[in-house]
Amino acid sequence: MKKPYVITVVIIIVIIIATFLLFNRKQAQAPIGVISYSGENAVNMIKITSLEPNSVISSPLKITGQARGNWYFEASFPIVLVDWDGKIIANGHADAKSDWMTENFVPFEATLEFTKPVCASGIDYCKRGSLILKNDNPSGLPQNDKAAEMPVLFE
């Protein structure tokens, strides 16, 4: 009588652990392949033309695209490259390639130099990172912050 009870409890525990591991794995992979935006109306503000989500990158990384004029301040905006853990491994700024005092899209260009994160053999998650393009917010007010984030893979 006790043996079927123990087997049932063990099966339930295994199912719970498997569900937990599967759920956490899907959560960690959700951002991959998606450009995410934060800040009001950020979606139609910036476009990256030199990279696709999950592009394999190496240093120096050249980034080109277009951003609306109000994304810039004094013809530039900040760019940050982070590793899988959110650690900043490079930062710099993108420069407008034409008149930025407009509401239209203005081309930009940036180059980031970085040291590739070191991965232990067989570990893939540390090859992931994100390129974050922030609007230049001279006011410093959090409600004016906007950002676009693109997942990248390190070579």
Short mmCIF file of all heavy atoms in Angstrom, two decimals, residues 2 4 31 35 44 46 49-50 54 59 81 103 110 132:
data_model
loop_
_atom_site.label_atom_id
_atom_site.label_comp_id
_atom_site.label_asym_id
_atom_site.label_seq_id
_atom_site.Cartn_x
_atom_site.Cartn_y
_atom_site.Cartn_z
N LYS A 2 1.99 1.27 0.69
CA LYS A 2 2.84 2.44 0.75
C LYS A 2 3.64 2.62 -0.53
O LYS A 2 3.96 3.74 -0.90
CB LYS A 2 3.79 2.33 1.94
CG LYS A 2 3.11 2.47 3.27
CD LYS A 2 4.12 2.46 4.38
CE LYS A 2 3.41 2.61 5.72
NZ LYS A 2 4.35 2.65 6.81
N PRO A 4 2.86 2.20 -3.88
CA PRO A 4 2.23 3.03 -4.92
C PRO A 4 2.16 4.51 -4.52
O PRO A 4 2.29 5.39 -5.36
CB PRO A 4 0.83 2.45 -5.06
CG PRO A 4 0.93 1.06 -4.55
CD PRO A 4 1.99 1.10 -3.49
N PRO A 31 13.53 36.88 -25.10
CA PRO A 31 13.97 38.10 -25.75
C PRO A 31 14.76 37.87 -27.04
O PRO A 31 14.87 38.76 -27.85
CB PRO A 31 14.88 38.76 -24.71
CG PRO A 31 14.58 38.10 -23.43
CD PRO A 31 14.10 36.73 -23.78
N ILE A 35 13.38 42.79 -31.07
CA ILE A 35 13.87 44.11 -30.70
C ILE A 35 12.85 44.66 -29.73
O ILE A 35 11.67 44.73 -30.04
CB ILE A 35 13.99 45.04 -31.92
CG1 ILE A 35 14.97 44.46 -32.94
CG2 ILE A 35 14.43 46.43 -31.50
CD1 ILE A 35 15.06 45.25 -34.21
N ASN A 44 8.57 53.67 -33.29
CA ASN A 44 8.77 54.29 -34.60
C ASN A 44 9.82 55.39 -34.57
O ASN A 44 9.78 56.31 -35.38
CB ASN A 44 7.44 54.84 -35.12
CG ASN A 44 6.46 53.73 -35.42
OD1 ASN A 44 6.83 52.71 -35.98
ND2 ASN A 44 5.23 53.92 -35.02
N ILE A 46 13.46 54.69 -34.13
CA ILE A 46 14.82 54.31 -34.50
C ILE A 46 14.82 52.98 -35.26
O ILE A 46 14.01 52.10 -34.97
CB ILE A 46 15.73 54.24 -33.24
CG1 ILE A 46 17.18 54.09 -33.63
CG2 ILE A 46 15.27 53.17 -32.27
CD1 ILE A 46 18.14 54.43 -32.51
N THR A 49 19.99 49.43 -39.45
CA THR A 49 20.03 48.84 -40.78
C THR A 49 21.22 47.91 -40.99
O THR A 49 21.20 47.09 -41.91
CB THR A 49 20.07 49.95 -41.86
OG1 THR A 49 21.18 50.81 -41.61
CG2 THR A 49 18.78 50.76 -41.84
N SER A 50 22.24 48.01 -40.15
CA SER A 50 23.44 47.19 -40.36
C SER A 50 23.40 45.84 -39.67
O SER A 50 24.24 44.98 -39.94
CB SER A 50 24.67 47.96 -39.86
OG SER A 50 24.54 48.27 -38.48
N ASN A 54 19.98 38.96 -33.34
CA ASN A 54 20.81 37.76 -33.20
C ASN A 54 21.94 37.68 -34.22
O ASN A 54 22.43 36.59 -34.50
CB ASN A 54 19.96 36.49 -33.23
CG ASN A 54 18.99 36.44 -32.08
OD1 ASN A 54 19.38 36.69 -30.95
ND2 ASN A 54 17.75 36.15 -32.36
N SER A 59 34.48 42.68 -32.79
CA SER A 59 35.02 44.02 -32.63
C SER A 59 36.00 44.34 -33.75
O SER A 59 36.77 43.46 -34.14
CB SER A 59 35.72 44.13 -31.28
OG SER A 59 36.16 45.44 -31.05
N LEU A 81 26.77 48.35 -25.30
CA LEU A 81 26.79 46.92 -25.60
C LEU A 81 26.98 46.19 -24.27
O LEU A 81 27.91 46.51 -23.52
CB LEU A 81 27.94 46.59 -26.56
CG LEU A 81 28.07 45.14 -26.99
CD1 LEU A 81 26.84 44.69 -27.79
CD2 LEU A 81 29.34 44.95 -27.83
N GLU A 103 12.02 66.30 -37.38
CA GLU A 103 11.26 65.18 -36.82
C GLU A 103 11.35 63.95 -37.71
O GLU A 103 10.84 62.90 -37.37
CB GLU A 103 9.80 65.59 -36.60
CG GLU A 103 9.64 66.61 -35.50
CD GLU A 103 8.18 66.95 -35.22
OE1 GLU A 103 7.28 66.30 -35.80
OE2 GLU A 103 7.95 67.87 -34.44
N ALA A 110 27.91 54.57 -35.93
CA ALA A 110 28.68 54.42 -34.69
C ALA A 110 29.62 53.22 -34.83
O ALA A 110 29.35 52.30 -35.60
CB ALA A 110 27.75 54.21 -33.50
N ILE A 132 22.13 48.29 -27.02
CA ILE A 132 21.10 49.20 -26.52
C ILE A 132 21.36 50.60 -27.06
O ILE A 132 22.44 51.16 -26.84
CB ILE A 132 21.06 49.22 -24.98
CG1 ILE A 132 20.86 47.80 -24.44
CG2 ILE A 132 19.97 50.16 -24.48
CD1 ILE A 132 21.09 47.65 -22.95
#
